[in-house]
Amino acid sequence: MAVRVMSETTNDLCRSTVGAMCFGLKQSLLLVGLVLAVMLDALNATIFGMARGHVMGTFHLTPDEAAWIGIVYLSAKLTLFPCGSWFIKKFSLVTVIWMALSLCAVTSLICAISVNYTVLIGSRAMQGAAGAVLIVSAQTLLLGVFPSNRQGLVQAIFALAVVVAPTSLAPVVQGYFIDAAIWQASFVLSIGLAAGAALILLCMPESVFPKYQHAVNPFDWFGFVLFAIAMLNLTYILNEGTRWNWFEARHLRWSAAVFVVAIAICIHRLATKSDQVLLDRGVFGDDHFTFGFFVSFIAGAALFGSAFLIQAFTLSVLHFPAGEAGLLLLPSGLATITGLCLSGWLITYRNTPPIAFIPLGVLLFMTSMWLMSRTGLQSGWHDLSGALLLRGFGLGFLFLSLTLITLSGLKPTYRADGVGLFNWGRQLGGLIGVAVLSSYNTSMNATNLQVLGRNIDPSNTWFGVRRQMLSEVLIERGLAPGLAEPASALMLQSTLKPQVALLSFNEAFLALALLFVLAVPIILSFKMIQKRFRA
């Protein structure tokens, strides 16, 4: 009798173990499917930035028309990041993911075959909206499916698609396609990723997905329209501000006024209306989320700002082809992956507190930007690789820790709202960072040109000596003596532009390294104010 009971117990235990292993495998496949789905958004997000010149030639666009391709995409994404949580609560997560994935795939196909500018603009707006909802719903699903003690590794793997892919992996692929003059192939690859993700999700049984659904108030459509208008104007200002010298342009002042009015009304409605909602403001009752949401702006500025500077520096100063410029970010991406996985493993299996990795991540990132600020005109792969590896490790440690601190403690009711706002903060912080760095770089260009240009003067002894030496060399090579002197002066002037650009980028890299020196006191002050209000 005892043997029979023991045998039945053993069989039950085996069945439970096998069941748990199978469920773990299904969870892992779900994670892979969601990562593939979000990677297609990473490809869609960066293609028109890298292939701007090719797109302008294909569609015969002016710079103003080309700018709107990115503006409508980003503004739609910023609009749906926080507002998309209502649709996730209203409908099942699975339904929202399928709708967003399908829309991403369809709009990618339209972008690949489109020959009409208006159609392209419309498809890009839908693509941005669908990408935002896809990211929010996928991350919300992962927070609900996996237990809290596995979120470290899960969020590390998911960050490959959200953090690494748009800043490191996508530029490599797109640089290759751009060099081959087939930039539309990136959208074909996006469709392939969508098909792979759909195939995996189709194999998932319903038992894998959480069954809860939240009761929500009616959607605030008027507030949504106002928020969309605010994000459109804000995106336009951040993208075009440097080009138009910011608020010296009248149309930018009007855009700023519209943004301020629209966002003020949105905030008022969010704070006072209870019968209609854009998102659940109760998410700010979580201190960890509020703190992480505040810091996400700074982290986004560091992530996207550094990627922008590195790409612009290698393309405009070092004159790398697009493919090589993309490959240059690959070591940094691989280091970010390593940093994410290492910190995720330590958090998951060694119970290391996530907060421990933030100082290390900040220090590594600051060191990498300081090293980038010391590069020269003859710098190549071997000169930049060390700095880029440190950048990757630093961002990997920083983003995983920040994600876990911000989102892991949220109640299920607030998860979608928290995920949407956290991603919104990172994306908007990135836009602000790129805009500020671009403007700073332009300003430094003008200053450095003025400073160095003073040396291009006949009264300058060293300029006269160099011009005389070049004139003698040109005469020896057959140039007429009457033409040698002006030709040598032009040659010396031509060396000024790359030196000015180098100095400007070096100063921009150093400014990015000092970002956290300025940010840390602000972050600590915010934390102290937060504690005082909660006391």
Side-chain angles (χ1 to χ4, degrees), residues 302-324:
L303 172 67
F304 291 100
S306 60
F308 159 75
L309 279 183
I310 292 167
Q311 279 192 336
F313 175 69
T314 53
L315 289 171
S316 62
V317 177
L318 301 184
H319 302 293
F320 282 20
E324 289 188 25

PDB file of all heavy atoms in Angstrom, residues 302-324:
ATOM      1  N   ALA A 302      20.692  60.051 -22.945  1.00  0.00           N
ATOM      2  CA  ALA A 302      22.010  59.434 -23.044  1.00  0.00           C
ATOM      3  C   ALA A 302      22.042  58.379 -24.146  1.00  0.00           C
ATOM      4  O   ALA A 302      22.998  58.315 -24.940  1.00  0.00           O
ATOM      5  CB  ALA A 302      22.385  58.805 -21.697  1.00  0.00           C
ATOM      6  N   LEU A 303      21.004  57.555 -24.232  1.00  0.00           N
ATOM      7  CA  LEU A 303      20.966  56.468 -25.217  1.00  0.00           C
ATOM      8  C   LEU A 303      20.909  57.008 -26.646  1.00  0.00           C
ATOM      9  O   LEU A 303      21.787  56.736 -27.467  1.00  0.00           O
ATOM     10  CB  LEU A 303      19.757  55.571 -24.943  1.00  0.00           C
ATOM     11  CG  LEU A 303      19.455  54.500 -26.002  1.00  0.00           C
ATOM     12  CD1 LEU A 303      20.553  53.455 -26.036  1.00  0.00           C
ATOM     13  CD2 LEU A 303      18.105  53.846 -25.727  1.00  0.00           C
ATOM     14  N   PHE A 304      19.860  57.767 -26.946  1.00  0.00           N
ATOM     15  CA  PHE A 304      19.667  58.230 -28.317  1.00  0.00           C
ATOM     16  C   PHE A 304      20.626  59.366 -28.673  1.00  0.00           C
ATOM     17  O   PHE A 304      21.048  59.480 -29.832  1.00  0.00           O
ATOM     18  CB  PHE A 304      18.218  58.668 -28.522  1.00  0.00           C
ATOM     19  CG  PHE A 304      17.243  57.533 -28.500  1.00  0.00           C
ATOM     20  CD1 PHE A 304      16.493  57.256 -27.367  1.00  0.00           C
ATOM     21  CD2 PHE A 304      17.079  56.724 -29.605  1.00  0.00           C
ATOM     22  CE1 PHE A 304      15.593  56.202 -27.338  1.00  0.00           C
ATOM     23  CE2 PHE A 304      16.187  55.668 -29.593  1.00  0.00           C
ATOM     24  CZ  PHE A 304      15.436  55.401 -28.458  1.00  0.00           C
ATOM     25  N   GLY A 305      20.976  60.203 -27.696  1.00  0.00           N
ATOM     26  CA  GLY A 305      21.916  61.282 -27.971  1.00  0.00           C
ATOM     27  C   GLY A 305      23.288  60.764 -28.343  1.00  0.00           C
ATOM     28  O   GLY A 305      23.923  61.256 -29.292  1.00  0.00           O
ATOM     29  N   SER A 306      23.780  59.766 -27.610  1.00  0.00           N
ATOM     30  CA  SER A 306      25.096  59.212 -27.928  1.00  0.00           C
ATOM     31  C   SER A 306      25.082  58.486 -29.271  1.00  0.00           C
ATOM     32  O   SER A 306      26.044  58.588 -30.046  1.00  0.00           O
ATOM     33  CB  SER A 306      25.548  58.261 -26.816  1.00  0.00           C
ATOM     34  OG  SER A 306      24.637  57.183 -26.650  1.00  0.00           O
ATOM     35  N   ALA A 307      24.008  57.759 -29.575  1.00  0.00           N
ATOM     36  CA  ALA A 307      23.913  57.083 -30.877  1.00  0.00           C
ATOM     37  C   ALA A 307      23.906  58.099 -32.015  1.00  0.00           C
ATOM     38  O   ALA A 307      24.557  57.904 -33.055  1.00  0.00           O
ATOM     39  CB  ALA A 307      22.654  56.223 -30.928  1.00  0.00           C
ATOM     40  N   PHE A 308      23.172  59.209 -31.827  1.00  0.00           N
ATOM     41  CA  PHE A 308      23.139  60.261 -32.850  1.00  0.00           C
ATOM     42  C   PHE A 308      24.520  60.864 -33.064  1.00  0.00           C
ATOM     43  O   PHE A 308      24.972  61.040 -34.209  1.00  0.00           O
ATOM     44  CB  PHE A 308      22.141  61.346 -32.418  1.00  0.00           C
ATOM     45  CG  PHE A 308      22.354  62.683 -33.088  1.00  0.00           C
ATOM     46  CD1 PHE A 308      21.975  62.870 -34.403  1.00  0.00           C
ATOM     47  CD2 PHE A 308      22.943  63.734 -32.397  1.00  0.00           C
ATOM     48  CE1 PHE A 308      22.189  64.099 -35.031  1.00  0.00           C
ATOM     49  CE2 PHE A 308      23.144  64.954 -33.013  1.00  0.00           C
ATOM     50  CZ  PHE A 308      22.771  65.138 -34.335  1.00  0.00           C
ATOM     51  N   LEU A 309      25.223  61.199 -31.986  1.00  0.00           N
ATOM     52  CA  LEU A 309      26.542  61.816 -32.111  1.00  0.00           C
ATOM     53  C   LEU A 309      27.541  60.886 -32.777  1.00  0.00           C
ATOM     54  O   LEU A 309      28.327  61.306 -33.638  1.00  0.00           O
ATOM     55  CB  LEU A 309      27.064  62.225 -30.729  1.00  0.00           C
ATOM     56  CG  LEU A 309      26.564  63.537 -30.136  1.00  0.00           C
ATOM     57  CD1 LEU A 309      27.261  63.804 -28.809  1.00  0.00           C
ATOM     58  CD2 LEU A 309      26.801  64.704 -31.090  1.00  0.00           C
ATOM     59  N   ILE A 310      27.529  59.615 -32.387  1.00  0.00           N
ATOM     60  CA  ILE A 310      28.491  58.665 -32.945  1.00  0.00           C
ATOM     61  C   ILE A 310      28.264  58.484 -34.443  1.00  0.00           C
ATOM     62  O   ILE A 310      29.216  58.500 -35.249  1.00  0.00           O
ATOM     63  CB  ILE A 310      28.399  57.318 -32.200  1.00  0.00           C
ATOM     64  CG1 ILE A 310      28.901  57.480 -30.766  1.00  0.00           C
ATOM     65  CG2 ILE A 310      29.208  56.242 -32.919  1.00  0.00           C
ATOM     66  CD1 ILE A 310      28.579  56.317 -29.860  1.00  0.00           C
ATOM     67  N   GLN A 311      27.005  58.328 -34.851  1.00  0.00           N
ATOM     68  CA  GLN A 311      26.711  58.171 -36.272  1.00  0.00           C
ATOM     69  C   GLN A 311      27.077  59.425 -37.055  1.00  0.00           C
ATOM     70  O   GLN A 311      27.702  59.347 -38.118  1.00  0.00           O
ATOM     71  CB  GLN A 311      25.239  57.843 -36.474  1.00  0.00           C
ATOM     72  CG  GLN A 311      24.904  56.382 -36.245  1.00  0.00           C
ATOM     73  CD  GLN A 311      23.514  56.046 -36.743  1.00  0.00           C
ATOM     74  OE1 GLN A 311      22.654  56.907 -36.844  1.00  0.00           O
ATOM     75  NE2 GLN A 311      23.279  54.790 -37.036  1.00  0.00           N
ATOM     76  N   ALA A 312      26.675  60.599 -36.544  1.00  0.00           N
ATOM     77  CA  ALA A 312      26.979  61.847 -37.243  1.00  0.00           C
ATOM     78  C   ALA A 312      28.479  62.075 -37.328  1.00  0.00           C
ATOM     79  O   ALA A 312      29.001  62.537 -38.362  1.00  0.00           O
ATOM     80  CB  ALA A 312      26.296  63.017 -36.540  1.00  0.00           C
ATOM     81  N   PHE A 313      29.203  61.756 -36.279  1.00  0.00           N
ATOM     82  CA  PHE A 313      30.661  61.946 -36.250  1.00  0.00           C
ATOM     83  C   PHE A 313      31.355  61.055 -37.271  1.00  0.00           C
ATOM     84  O   PHE A 313      32.224  61.511 -38.037  1.00  0.00           O
ATOM     85  CB  PHE A 313      31.169  61.649 -34.840  1.00  0.00           C
ATOM     86  CG  PHE A 313      32.664  61.682 -34.708  1.00  0.00           C
ATOM     87  CD1 PHE A 313      33.351  62.885 -34.825  1.00  0.00           C
ATOM     88  CD2 PHE A 313      33.382  60.530 -34.465  1.00  0.00           C
ATOM     89  CE1 PHE A 313      34.741  62.924 -34.703  1.00  0.00           C
ATOM     90  CE2 PHE A 313      34.759  60.560 -34.338  1.00  0.00           C
ATOM     91  CZ  PHE A 313      35.448  61.754 -34.459  1.00  0.00           C
ATOM     92  N   THR A 314      30.980  59.792 -37.298  1.00  0.00           N
ATOM     93  CA  THR A 314      31.643  58.864 -38.226  1.00  0.00           C
ATOM     94  C   THR A 314      31.297  59.161 -39.688  1.00  0.00           C
ATOM     95  O   THR A 314      32.124  58.967 -40.573  1.00  0.00           O
ATOM     96  CB  THR A 314      31.268  57.416 -37.894  1.00  0.00           C
ATOM     97  OG1 THR A 314      29.842  57.285 -37.854  1.00  0.00           O
ATOM     98  CG2 THR A 314      31.841  56.998 -36.558  1.00  0.00           C
ATOM     99  N   LEU A 315      30.075  59.638 -39.928  1.00  0.00           N
ATOM    100  CA  LEU A 315      29.662  59.914 -41.307  1.00  0.00           C
ATOM    101  C   LEU A 315      30.206  61.249 -41.813  1.00  0.00           C
ATOM    102  O   LEU A 315      30.691  61.338 -42.950  1.00  0.00           O
ATOM    103  CB  LEU A 315      28.128  59.913 -41.411  1.00  0.00           C
ATOM    104  CG  LEU A 315      27.435  58.547 -41.289  1.00  0.00           C
ATOM    105  CD1 LEU A 315      25.925  58.724 -41.184  1.00  0.00           C
ATOM    106  CD2 LEU A 315      27.774  57.643 -42.466  1.00  0.00           C
ATOM    107  N   SER A 316      30.143  62.298 -40.995  1.00  0.00           N
ATOM    108  CA  SER A 316      30.484  63.638 -41.481  1.00  0.00           C
ATOM    109  C   SER A 316      31.932  64.033 -41.235  1.00  0.00           C
ATOM    110  O   SER A 316      32.481  64.858 -41.968  1.00  0.00           O
ATOM    111  CB  SER A 316      29.558  64.674 -40.843  1.00  0.00           C
ATOM    112  OG  SER A 316      29.727  64.692 -39.437  1.00  0.00           O
ATOM    113  N   VAL A 317      32.573  63.471 -40.214  1.00  0.00           N
ATOM    114  CA  VAL A 317      33.955  63.847 -39.895  1.00  0.00           C
ATOM    115  C   VAL A 317      34.944  62.785 -40.349  1.00  0.00           C
ATOM    116  O   VAL A 317      35.925  63.079 -41.035  1.00  0.00           O
ATOM    117  CB  VAL A 317      34.116  64.109 -38.381  1.00  0.00           C
ATOM    118  CG1 VAL A 317      35.565  64.439 -38.041  1.00  0.00           C
ATOM    119  CG2 VAL A 317      33.213  65.255 -37.951  1.00  0.00           C
ATOM    120  N   LEU A 318      34.685  61.528 -39.994  1.00  0.00           N
ATOM    121  CA  LEU A 318      35.586  60.449 -40.403  1.00  0.00           C
ATOM    122  C   LEU A 318      35.263  59.912 -41.796  1.00  0.00           C
ATOM    123  O   LEU A 318      36.026  59.129 -42.343  1.00  0.00           O
ATOM    124  CB  LEU A 318      35.527  59.303 -39.382  1.00  0.00           C
ATOM    125  CG  LEU A 318      35.896  59.668 -37.940  1.00  0.00           C
ATOM    126  CD1 LEU A 318      35.882  58.433 -37.055  1.00  0.00           C
ATOM    127  CD2 LEU A 318      37.259  60.356 -37.879  1.00  0.00           C
ATOM    128  N   HIS A 319      34.092  60.307 -42.335  1.00  0.00           N
ATOM    129  CA  HIS A 319      33.673  59.955 -43.699  1.00  0.00           C
ATOM    130  C   HIS A 319      33.605  58.440 -43.922  1.00  0.00           C
ATOM    131  O   HIS A 319      34.052  57.920 -44.938  1.00  0.00           O
ATOM    132  CB  HIS A 319      34.602  60.593 -44.730  1.00  0.00           C
ATOM    133  CG  HIS A 319      34.662  62.086 -44.632  1.00  0.00           C
ATOM    134  ND1 HIS A 319      33.576  62.893 -44.919  1.00  0.00           N
ATOM    135  CD2 HIS A 319      35.673  62.930 -44.242  1.00  0.00           C
ATOM    136  CE1 HIS A 319      33.913  64.158 -44.723  1.00  0.00           C
ATOM    137  NE2 HIS A 319      35.166  64.203 -44.308  1.00  0.00           N
ATOM    138  N   PHE A 320      33.032  57.740 -42.928  1.00  0.00           N
ATOM    139  CA  PHE A 320      32.776  56.314 -43.094  1.00  0.00           C
ATOM    140  C   PHE A 320      31.589  56.133 -44.039  1.00  0.00           C
ATOM    141  O   PHE A 320      30.648  56.937 -43.996  1.00  0.00           O
ATOM    142  CB  PHE A 320      32.434  55.669 -41.755  1.00  0.00           C
ATOM    143  CG  PHE A 320      33.622  55.391 -40.874  1.00  0.00           C
ATOM    144  CD1 PHE A 320      34.827  56.045 -41.053  1.00  0.00           C
ATOM    145  CD2 PHE A 320      33.524  54.471 -39.839  1.00  0.00           C
ATOM    146  CE1 PHE A 320      35.913  55.803 -40.236  1.00  0.00           C
ATOM    147  CE2 PHE A 320      34.599  54.219 -39.009  1.00  0.00           C
ATOM    148  CZ  PHE A 320      35.797  54.887 -39.214  1.00  0.00           C
ATOM    149  N   PRO A 321      31.579  55.108 -44.877  1.00  0.00           N
ATOM    150  CA  PRO A 321      30.347  54.763 -45.610  1.00  0.00           C
ATOM    151  C   PRO A 321      29.258  54.370 -44.620  1.00  0.00           C
ATOM    152  O   PRO A 321      29.541  54.023 -43.466  1.00  0.00           O
ATOM    153  CB  PRO A 321      30.768  53.571 -46.485  1.00  0.00           C
ATOM    154  CG  PRO A 321      32.255  53.617 -46.529  1.00  0.00           C
ATOM    155  CD  PRO A 321      32.699  54.238 -45.237  1.00  0.00           C
ATOM    156  N   ALA A 322      28.000  54.418 -45.084  1.00  0.00           N
ATOM    157  CA  ALA A 322      26.873  54.120 -44.188  1.00  0.00           C
ATOM    158  C   ALA A 322      27.000  52.729 -43.578  1.00  0.00           C
ATOM    159  O   ALA A 322      26.695  52.519 -42.404  1.00  0.00           O
ATOM    160  CB  ALA A 322      25.554  54.260 -44.945  1.00  0.00           C
ATOM    161  N   GLY A 323      27.453  51.753 -44.384  1.00  0.00           N
ATOM    162  CA  GLY A 323      27.587  50.393 -43.879  1.00  0.00           C
ATOM    163  C   GLY A 323      28.617  50.292 -42.768  1.00  0.00           C
ATOM    164  O   GLY A 323      28.392  49.648 -41.742  1.00  0.00           O
ATOM    165  N   GLU A 324      29.772  50.945 -42.940  1.00  0.00           N
ATOM    166  CA  GLU A 324      30.816  50.917 -41.912  1.00  0.00           C
ATOM    167  C   GLU A 324      30.400  51.697 -40.677  1.00  0.00           C
ATOM    168  O   GLU A 324      30.729  51.315 -39.551  1.00  0.00           O
ATOM    169  CB  GLU A 324      32.119  51.480 -42.481  1.00  0.00           C
ATOM    170  CG  GLU A 324      32.787  50.570 -43.487  1.00  0.00           C
ATOM    171  CD  GLU A 324      34.163  51.082 -43.873  1.00  0.00           C
ATOM    172  OE1 GLU A 324      34.775  51.814 -43.076  1.00  0.00           O
ATOM    173  OE2 GLU A 324      34.611  50.753 -44.975  1.00  0.00           O
TER     174      GLU A 324
END
